[in-house]
Amino acid sequence: MEVIRGYIESFIHQNPANGYCIFVLVDKGKETSCIGYCKDLQVGETVELEGEFFDDPVYGKEFKIKTYKVVPPADKESIERYLGSGAIKGIGAALAARIVKEFGDDTLRIIEEEPERLAEVKGISMRRAMEIAVQLEEKRDLRDAMMFLGQYNISQSLSIKIFNTYGGSLYTVMKENPYKLAEDISGVGFITADTIARNMGMSMNSPQRLRCGLLYILQQSAGEGHCYLPMQDLQSKAKEMLGMDDEVINNEISGLAIDRKIIVRGENVYSASFFYAEQNCARLLADLNMPLERFTEEDEDLLIGRLKNIAAAQNMEVDPIQLEAVKECVKNSIFILSGGPGTGKTTTINLIIKYFLSLGMDLLLAAPTGRAAKRMTEATGYEAMTIHRLLEVGGGQDDDGGRMFFHRDQDNPLEADVIIIDEASMVDILLFQGLLKAIIPGTRLILVGDAAQLPSVGPGCVLRDLIDSNAFACLMLKRIFRQASGSDIVVNAHKINSGEQIKLGTDSKDFLFLERDSSRMIAEHMIWMIRDKLPKYCDADVFDIQVLTPMRKGSLGCIELNRILQEALNPPQPGKREHIQGDYIYREGDKVMQIKNNYKLEWNIYGLYGIAVSSGLGVFNGDTGRILEISEAAAQVRVEFDDKRIVDYPFNTLEELEPAYAITIHKSQGSEYPAVIMPFLDVPEIMRYRNLLYTGITRGKKCVVIMGSSRIVRDMIDNGYTSRRYTSLKERILEVMP
């Protein structure tokens, strides 16, 4: 580490929200460009910086700040320069000169300790003297807080968040309960809070630590898709992580239950939000599942005849099972349509749409992701949007992405007679709750999805629980239609789903398997396929071909593959700007993916002449796009997503953005690509299961290429195990349904 000192001559960039700044430091006439998180610094201030120099490929030698402190100006000239810089509102260059002439080297002490003496200077009233002193004190508060937190190895960026959250009360919070950071500050979990608490000397068996740890375990389980944990699992995990015996842990579980932070139902322990989400969904479904007008046999015959006429007028080939599906949809206020690829879900949806439109009804179409909504629009010819956009998502006021709320709810419901949700297997319990709150009884809700796909990334197993409850009209499409039966992608997907082994080789026109026994060879052949073979074969752009992998880590995990593919498909070039942050190099032209929901990020869609024609809030887990521009001056990365939304990411939010040349199969849900390449070599046994393979294969539209071990592929087909998710929506539904 190096230490440099000087005064701030000018700012190139300054973000008041998070403190990220780029400024020019001057020491004895030498200028240095400095980058880091330094909140509320002002031109003219003298600072001491600790950090290291690095060479930026565009801007040359710069100093990256690790810690900083403002130091008193050492001489009259420095004091005058600071006061005249605009750092203190109401003092300009001329007044600063008069103040320093009056008090000399003692100026700053006078302002802090005897501010009334400023009134001795011509042009300064007693009121103005007090205002100047208050400003200096406020700036000192933040700097004192940064120094206090810094002694516990708290980073500058986190220190700023803590100060912004608690202000002057942070000292009380930190001394009494540093675990409160995990509750109040987004991005701070138990591990961070526990490290801080230990640095502060807090006892390992303090109630605050134990409660925060228990809530953290439940939070982590939600990240794995669970809505609750069995009591025994929670106790076991808590004992291992917290190092306490069962009696101590059980006492804290009881305390959290009394405070309604958790709900204990039998042997199951829920975070309160997930218990009430499942309970609310069950109640709202019961309200929506109202009986419709009874159909006679004659009415049904008339309905089938009308549907056949609509199909004929649209040149649609329909099967009796599809007509049955539409009939059930018309007869019931909640209807679930499920089926694998090529079974006619899209044709059935189109027939449903045509029928309800013929009755003059208002329809809304939506899907969980932007890609899925785009596919739905292309398949139906009617505008579909994301569920978040349908519900008019908003965000809270915290610094890290906000908290989700929807402007559409029971007080401002959706205005539609029929709502159709595609890719319903991707809908998690919290999003489903938000959707149901915005639907009034009398509105038809149609859920479409493939129950054999992987469940949602978020907690819950909504579609499967709804089907398993047998409480709603549901129809499974199983027959593969003639148009799809010529595709080995479709045929093999259905065979895999039923546990039947498939032919592996290179004879097929759209389903290829290449036996390879080394990671290096797979990576080389992957690049060759993406760059040289598949674009022409599938009539697709290089960046539309997607690598899907079972895992994040390892030689064929998405982290390593993204590094390799970035170098091959988007190498560094003169004039192509890049930015290093964390473990990644972000480069203009890169393919990237949002990896967490951020309800506060602003987006715009631009028309002619760069005029914004649409704007809104929210970028969501799984959204993919390309980096358009990297600006060090503005300290941001501009990304254009697949649906033409353009978002500016400040550098300090780049942890939400990852390269997406390769993504996990789980992240690919709801998407469709012209071609997919999947490496299966050295796959951990825990990940060798059927519906992971099935989900990956069904993402490919024109071509699927699998590289690796045929033995692993066959093991996956044989393994019908589906990882258990702890959910109880089915039970909640059965409790409230008549």
Side-chain angles (χ1 to χ4, degrees):
M1 289 290 173
E2 298 186 57
V3 177
I4 61 175
R5 183 182 178 128
Y7 71 89
I8 299 173
E9 183 181 64
S10 62
F11 281 91
I12 299 170
H13 171 78
Q14 193 171 23
N15 186 332
N18 58 39
Y20 183 84
C21 57
I22 305 172
F23 59 83
V24 176
L25 186 79
V26 176
D27 179 31
K28 298 176 182 178
K30 179 183 176 183
E31 294 186 356
T32 303
S33 177
C34 302
I35 296 175
Y37 292 90
C38 308
K39 194 173 175 68
D40 280 356
L41 289 183
Q42 303 287 344
V43 169
E45 285 188 310
T46 302
V47 292
E48 186 174 284
L49 312 175
E50 183 181 1
E52 55 190 16
F53 284 97
F54 71 99
D55 288 317
D56 184 274
V58 177
Y59 298 99
K61 191 174 184 180
E62 296 185 312
F63 189 81
K64 189 170 186 178
I65 303 164
K66 183 180 180 184
T67 63
Y68 77 98
K69 62 181 178 181
V70 177
V71 294
D75 50 52
K76 290 190 294 184
E77 290 75 17
S78 298
I79 295 172
E80 182 179 332
R81 184 172 55 240
Y82 168 58
L83 292 178
S85 68
I88 306 298
K89 188 178 178 182
I91 299 181
L95 184 55
R98 294 204 301 273
I99 294 173
V100 173
K101 184 178 180 180
E102 180 73 25
F103 301 114
D105 292 342
D106 210 24
T107 298
L108 292 182
R109 188 197 66 77
I110 294 291
I111 296 175
E112 291 180 358
E113 299 177 9
E114 304 176 73
E116 67 278 359
R117 289 190 58 191
L118 286 175
E120 299 172 13
V121 178
K122 184 178 179 181
I124 299 180
S125 65
M126 185 61 69
R127 178 180 175 182
R128 193 174 181 187
M130 293 301 106
E131 289 174 350
I132 291 170
V134 166
Q135 287 186 64
L136 209 63
E137 183 67 25
E138 286 176 347
K139 294 177 185 301
R140 191 170 64 179
D141 285 345
L142 172 60
R143 290 166 195 146
D144 289 347
M146 299 282 281
M147 292 179 67
F148 170 76
L149 296 170
Q151 66 183 317
Y152 300 113
N153 296 321
I154 299 174
S155 70
Q156 291 183 34
S157 57
L158 178 55
S159 295
I160 291 169
K161 292 179 187 177
I162 294 171
F163 183 81
N164 287 344
T165 301
Y166 301 117
S169 64
L170 73 86
Y171 302 98
T172 303
V173 171
M174 296 300 293
K175 289 176 180 177
E176 293 182 356
N177 183 15
Y179 293 97
K180 202 169 187 309
L181 301 179
E183 294 181 35
D184 298 338
I185 301 178
S186 179
V188 177
F190 172 79
I191 303 300
T192 301
D194 197 38
T195 301
I196 293 169
R198 290 192 185 193
N199 288 340
M200 299 186 72
M202 198 160 195
S203 170
M204 285 187 64
N205 61 356
S206 68
Q208 296 97 323
R209 178 175 186 266
L210 300 179
R211 289 191 173 203
C212 183
L214 287 164
L215 292 173
Y216 173 78
I217 291 168
L218 289 173
Q219 181 186 46
Q220 291 299 104
S221 72
E224 297 168 2
H226 304 302
C227 291
Y228 69 85
L229 278 180
M231 178 70 78
Q232 189 174 355
D233 285 15
L234 177 60
Q235 291 168 334
S236 174
K237 291 174 184 291
K239 191 172 183 178
E240 180 182 352
M241 187 179 81
L242 300 171
M244 298 291 129
D245 60 36
D246 290 340
E247 183 179 355
V248 173
I249 290 168
N250 290 339
N251 286 339
E252 295 307 328
I253 290 174
S254 298
L256 286 169
I258 290 170
D259 293 342
R260 308 299 287 177
K261 296 281 188 180
I262 63 174
I263 305 294
V264 179
R265 179 66 78 91
E267 288 299 310
N268 300 333
V269 185
Y270 300 75
S271 291
S273 59
F274 294 120
F275 176 81
Y276 291 119
E278 288 193 331
Q279 191 176 68
N280 288 340
C281 285
R283 177 181 54 79
L284 292 164
L285 285 166
D287 291 343
L288 288 177
N289 199 36
M290 58 191 300
L292 298 177
E293 186 178 344
R294 188 179 297 276
F295 273 68
T296 65
E297 190 173 327
E298 184 179 348
D299 292 331
E300 291 189 5
D301 290 341
L302 289 172
L303 173 60
I304 294 297
R306 184 167 190 171
L307 292 174
K308 287 181 178 179
N309 290 337
I310 292 172
Q314 300 292 323
N315 292 318
M316 296 166 64
E317 289 187 33
V318 292
D319 186 81
I321 192 69
Q322 292 173 305
L323 293 174
E324 180 67 20
V326 183
K327 185 181 77 172
E328 288 300 308
C329 176
V330 172
K331 291 170 62 177
N332 294 278
S333 53
I334 297 176
F335 177 67
I336 301 168
L337 178 68
S338 187
T343 56
K345 292 194 301 295
T346 299
T347 300
T348 307
I349 293 173
N350 278 324
L351 190 55
I352 290 169
I353 291 171
K354 299 296 184 188
Y355 174 77
F356 284 122
L357 287 177
S358 73
L359 299 181
M361 291 186 171
D362 293 324
L363 278 72
L364 290 173
L365 280 61
T369 67
R371 271 187 172 269
K374 183 179 178 182
R375 283 178 56 203
M376 194 180 189
T377 299
E378 292 168 351
T380 64
Y382 295 91
E383 182 187 4
M385 62 185 78
T386 64
I387 299 174
H388 289 90
R389 190 174 173 192
L390 177 74
L391 298 177
E392 299 174 17
V393 68
Q397 297 303 311
D398 57 289
D399 290 332
D400 280 317
R403 293 180 173 85
M404 177 174 65
F405 70 87
F406 297 116
H407 293 286
R408 291 287 185 175
D409 55 19
Q410 54 268 46
D411 298 321
N412 182 28
L414 295 167
E415 298 173 4
D417 301 304
V418 182
I419 296 173
I420 303 175
I421 305 296
D422 198 11
E423 296 288 355
S425 64
M426 297 179 63
V427 179
D428 64 48
I429 191 66
L430 296 179
L431 183 57
F432 194 52
Q433 176 184 226
L435 175 67
L436 293 178
K437 282 182 176 180
I439 301 175
I440 59 174
T443 303
R444 283 182 170 85
L445 174 62
I446 301 164
L447 301 172
V448 183
D450 184 352
Q453 297 279 357
L454 291 169
S456 57
V457 174
C461 199
V462 171
L463 183 63
R464 174 52 61 191
D465 282 350
L466 293 179
I467 293 172
D468 289 348
S469 73
N470 293 315
F472 311 102
C474 177
L475 195 143
M476 308 288 288
L477 298 174
K478 296 180 179 179
R479 178 194 161 201
I480 302 175
F481 280 81
R482 187 181 70 250
Q483 305 96 300
S485 62
S487 166
D488 286 330
I489 295 174
V490 172
V491 172
N492 286 340
H494 283 270
K495 285 182 177 180
I496 289 168
N497 191 36
S498 62
E500 181 182 346
Q501 290 293 338
I502 60 174
K503 182 180 179 182
L504 296 175
T506 57
D507 296 338
S508 171
K509 68 179 186 301
D510 63 356
F511 191 98
L512 307 175
F513 175 80
L514 306 177
E515 186 83 40
R516 298 290 184 268
D517 59 6
S518 84
S519 301
R520 182 186 58 79
M521 187 181 297
I522 288 175
E524 288 176 357
H525 288 193
M526 189 181 286
I527 293 168
W528 173 69
M529 295 286 285
I530 294 172
R531 198 163 50 191
D532 302 325
K533 300 299 290 183
L534 290 176
K536 292 179 182 177
Y537 188 71
C538 298
D539 189 26
D541 186 85
V542 167
F543 287 89
D544 290 331
I545 297 164
Q546 187 63 54
V547 174
L548 305 179
T549 176
M551 51 218 173
R552 283 184 57 79
K553 297 181 179 179
S555 59
L556 292 173
C558 60
I559 295 174
E560 179 62 16
L561 285 176
N562 272 316
R563 185 190 65 78
I564 294 169
L565 293 171
Q566 182 192 46
E567 281 301 301
L569 304 178
N570 188 33
Q573 293 178 3
K576 184 181 285 187
R577 287 169 290 192
E578 57 185 44
H579 176 77
I580 301 173
Q581 183 108 347
D583 296 329
Y584 298 114
I585 298 173
Y586 297 88
R587 187 173 294 139
E588 289 178 340
D590 271 345
K591 185 177 180 179
V592 290
M593 171 181 279
Q594 175 80 11
I595 60 168
K596 63 179 281 190
N597 290 335
N598 186 322
Y599 308 106
K600 290 175 65 180
L601 268 180
E602 297 180 9
W603 55 262
N604 292 286
I605 297 175
Y606 295 95
L608 291 174
Y609 311 113
I611 299 172
V613 296
S614 183
S615 60
L617 292 175
V619 184
F620 305 105
N621 193 352
D623 287 354
T624 57
R626 299 277 300 277
I627 294 179
L628 293 180
E629 180 185 1
I630 295 175
S631 171
E632 289 289 341
Q636 68 181 24
V637 172
R638 173 163 287 190
V639 176
E640 180 177 15
F641 286 95
D642 292 331
D643 53 6
K644 302 303 180 185
R645 289 175 302 153
I646 291 178
V647 177
D648 291 326
Y649 285 81
F651 283 165
N652 69 303
T653 64
L654 286 180
E655 70 273 4
E656 299 181 11
L657 209 59
E658 285 188 357
Y661 299 97
I663 63 175
T664 61
I665 294 173
H666 220 131
K667 288 282 189 182
S668 72
Q669 288 174 268
S671 298
E672 187 177 71
Y673 309 95
V676 300
I677 300 175
M678 295 189 292
F680 288 107
L681 186 71
D682 299 327
V683 178
E685 278 200 40
I686 196 172
M687 305 191 76
R688 298 183 191 180
Y689 54 92
R690 185 183 301 158
N691 70 338
L692 186 71
L693 177 62
Y694 172 80
T695 298
I697 286 171
T698 55
R699 300 307 92 202
K701 186 176 182 181
K702 296 180 180 179
C703 188
V704 170
V705 180
I706 299 176
M707 298 181 184
S709 165
S710 56
R711 180 181 59 81
I712 288 177
V713 174
R714 297 198 185 284
D715 285 349
M716 295 178 79
I717 295 172
D718 286 338
N719 184 8
Y721 167 79
T722 303
S723 58
R724 168 79 193 279
R725 284 198 170 190
Y726 294 120
T727 69
S728 52
L729 178 59
K730 171 186 170 182
E731 287 72 21
R732 300 289 87 81
I733 289 170
L734 296 178
E735 286 173 357
V736 300
M737 285 296 186

